[in-house]
Structure formats: structure tokens, C-alpha cells
Amino acid sequence: MADSTTQSVLFPELFGKPLLAWFDRPHASSDGGAVLLRAADRRLGLLDAMAACMRETRDRSKVRHGLDELLAQRVHGLACGYEDANDAARLADDPIAKLLLGRDVVTGDALASQPTLLRFENGVTRAELLRMSEALYEVVLRSHAKRLRGRVRAVTVDLDVTGDPTHGQQELAFFHGHYRHACTLPLLAYLTFNGEPDQHLVASMLRPGNAPTSLGAVMLLSRIIGDLQERFPRARLLVRLDGGFAGPGLLEFLDEVGVDYAVGLPSNPVLVRAAEAMLAPMRLRSELTGATEHVYGECRYAAQSWERERRVVIKAEVVRHPGREPRGRAWPARRWARCASGCSSSARRSSSR
């Protein structure tokens, strides 16, 4: 029970009266919203599919927590914001945590301890991880094919990297200048169906914190694109990538597999000169309108390492803010599209200075 004290935040109309608060209610939890996780997983069957990818090699006479329970406990903890297993002891008897594993919130057995969870995490083999990643991919594709009733007209594949902070002497951890901390640098793949706004994670590749952006991109794309072309032969496939992925090997691969693609293009003197030519008319237009003005143009360009020219879309923009001098910018926007029997193109706009 809190001590009586003068307060002015809660119930200001009762100012001056004592306010007593208790925080010792038994069997309470701050993660009530997590019950939706269990409902969502029952519908998807994701945790069951991933648990089926692991083999039980422990002494059964000493096992108190099944692999499926350990996996579910860890995933639920991550979803609730508990990034590591340090909170396992505090959450062992949490009623919501028990409920998510199908245990009685009062009399049910306590959840696994931190050492048990760490042994579980470190005991998963590379082969099991690969099968689990395939299970994730299958669940996502199956659920959306069912939701869309097979009417998949277009699929967009996005690759991106993210810095996952590490602590201590963790394997694959290296300092990354952009993120300004030690991290690993996993490569993530997302799918978007029929131009919908939502992206769905289908694959993740763990990589060292000092890995170049494009490391593993061709391997991951080859598996995803090949499967999508087989599952949805009539769907239009578009691959979108940041400028860090740009390289002759990846571009040639995308040409070979016959998909549309939009890849960010780093700036260079040749493209800057092409972009600056469009900036002067925008300055004049901005002077006349008093507002921010921009225009998109295009040119044909081939780096020395490319086998052919590709289409580059360029954005020229004059930005105006109240009380500031207008500022002109021009840069290549990412829009490269394959040209086969006809030129098919699609764009995802981005600025790359």
C-alpha cells in the first residue's frame, strides 16, 4: 500500500483528500493483451509448425517443459517486449504467461527458468533452424493464398537489413558505424500481395555485424523467386531493394529470372549532372508558386561494370519552408526495370544523395 500523500495528478477535483493505492493484487499481469497472440497462433498454426521442425534429444525422465512449450514461451516473451530470458524468473508464475501455454493461471506449473531457456536456444541445430525458416515461409504463403482465394495478381519482394544490438562477446557481433553499436546484421525478406500496404516477413538470414548489405541477397532471392514463380505462375513479381544491394551480379540475376525490379542507385558525378539539368525549371516554377516543386525525369545509364544500359529515374526538387531559403536537390530515384519482349516497369521512389 502506498503512503498517503498530497497529489495533484489523479482526480484533481478531489485535491486535498487522501488517495490510497494498492499494487499487490494477486494473480495480476500487465500483459493482458497477449491473449490475442494465442488466438492468432491458433488460426495460423505457426508455433506448431515450427515446433515440429525440432527433435527431442533430451533425457525424457528429466524433461519438465516440452520443446513446443519452450518455443512458445520464448516467442510470447519476445512479442511482449522481453528481449532476453532475464525476466524468466519474474514471469515464471505470471498468469497471462501461463494462460498462453494452456496452463491454469493459479495452480498451473511455473514456466521454464532462464537456464532452461538458454539451453533450449543454444541447443537448436542449423538444420532445425533451416526447417523452421521454411515452416515460417510456408505458413505465410498458405495463409495468404487462402485469404486471397488464389487470386494473387502481383507479389512484391522486399529485402532489407537491420541492426540487431548485441551485448558482450556474442558470436557474429561487430561494431557498425551506421547503427553506432555492436550488432548482428540480419537480412530480412518481406512479401506484399496485390499492392496491399502490409508487408509480411517470410525469411530472415543471420549475418555478422560487419557484413556488406548484399551478402546472401542472391541466394535468398533465388529461393523465394523460384518458389513464387512456381506457386503463382500468372502473378507479376516485383523485387525492391535499397541502394546498398546494387551490384552487377545481383542485377544480372534479376534479369535472368525475368522479374521486374526497382533498385536504389547510389549517386555519382554522371547522374548528378543529368539530375541538375532538370533543377533549373523547378527553381523557376517554385519562384512562381512559392511552394515546394518537384519533377521526375529519366535517362539511360550504364556503369562500367554493367553489361548494358538501364533506365534510371531522377527526381529534381526545390524545397521551401516558411522563413527559410529555398533549397534545390536533385538525385537519382531508384527505378530500374527489366526490358524483355516489351519494357515492363514499376517504381518505388527513394532519395539517395
Side-chain angles (χ1 to χ4, degrees), residues 102-335:
R103 301 182 183 183
D104 188 279
V105 298
V106 178
T107 62
D109 293 337
L111 305 188
S113 64
Q114 181 195 40
T116 301
L117 289 175
L118 294 181
R119 286 193 296 270
F120 163 70
E121 290 183 340
N122 292 324
V124 181
T125 66
R126 291 169 62 95
E128 290 172 335
L129 287 174
L130 178 59
R131 291 196 295 268
M132 293 169 74
S133 66
E134 293 172 346
L136 169 65
Y137 181 86
E138 287 294 331
V139 167
V140 173
L141 267 292
R142 184 175 63 247
S143 64
H144 288 287
K146 180 180 179 180
R147 176 179 64 86
L148 297 171
R149 299 179 181 179
R151 295 191 292 269
V152 180
R153 303 181 303 274
V155 183
T156 301
V157 184
D158 288 281
L159 292 191
D160 203 356
V161 298
T162 184
D164 187 11
T166 58
H167 308 279
Q169 302 299 318
Q170 187 170 328
E171 187 177 5
L172 303 183
F174 290 92
F175 181 82
H176 196 284
H178 175 74
Y179 295 104
R180 298 183 180 181
H181 54 65
C183 64
T184 56
L185 203 65
L187 177 63
L188 308 176
Y190 301 87
L191 296 185
T192 305
F193 297 92
N194 295 344
E196 297 173 343
D198 296 328
Q199 294 181 321
H200 308 281
L201 178 69
V202 293
S204 176
M205 179 185 295
L206 181 62
R207 310 182 312 165
N210 60 354
T213 301
S214 60
L215 179 65
V218 171
M219 180 177 66
L220 190 59
L221 283 174
S222 64
R223 300 187 64 178
I224 293 176
I225 291 175
D227 182 79
L228 291 176
Q229 289 176 329
E230 184 176 345
R231 289 175 186 255
F232 311 113
R234 297 183 179 181
R236 174 171 172 260
L237 300 185
L238 169 66
V239 177
R240 301 188 298 193
L241 305 170
D242 288 331
F245 292 94
L250 186 139
L251 297 177
E252 291 169 8
F253 162 77
L254 293 173
D255 286 332
E256 291 173 1
V257 296
V259 298
D260 294 342
Y261 56 88
V263 184
L265 183 61
S267 180
N268 62 50
V270 175
L271 294 174
V272 168
R273 286 195 296 271
E276 289 289 348
M278 302 189 306
L279 197 56
M282 289 302 100
R283 291 195 178 99
L284 178 59
R285 183 188 298 181
S286 181
E287 286 288 343
L288 295 175
T289 64
T292 296
E293 298 289 348
H294 68 267
V295 67
Y296 288 93
E298 63 180 78
C299 68
R300 305 294 296 184
Y301 170 75
Q304 293 183 354
S305 57
W306 297 1
E307 294 182 350
R308 66 177 181 86
E309 288 186 341
R310 288 181 170 87
R311 182 187 183 209
V312 176
V313 170
I314 300 171
K315 179 180 181 181
E317 182 177 44
V318 175
V319 180
R320 284 184 177 270
H321 293 287
R324 300 182 186 178
E325 290 293 324
R327 182 163 62 97
R329 301 182 299 174
W331 60 83
R334 56 174 154 196
R335 183 172 181 173

Side-chain angles (χ1 to χ4, degrees), residues 59-103:
D59 185 347
R60 294 186 180 275
S61 64
K62 300 179 181 179
V63 170
R64 293 182 53 194
H65 309 280
L67 294 177
D68 57 337
E69 294 177 322
L70 294 173
L71 175 65
Q73 180 180 346
R74 195 69 188 94
V75 171
H76 292 152
L78 288 168
C80 290
Y82 306 109
E83 297 181 354
D84 48 41
N86 292 339
D87 297 293
R90 182 170 63 86
L91 298 173
D93 288 303
D94 184 274
I96 294 298
K98 288 183 177 181
L99 181 64
L100 293 176
L101 267 62
R103 301 182 183 183

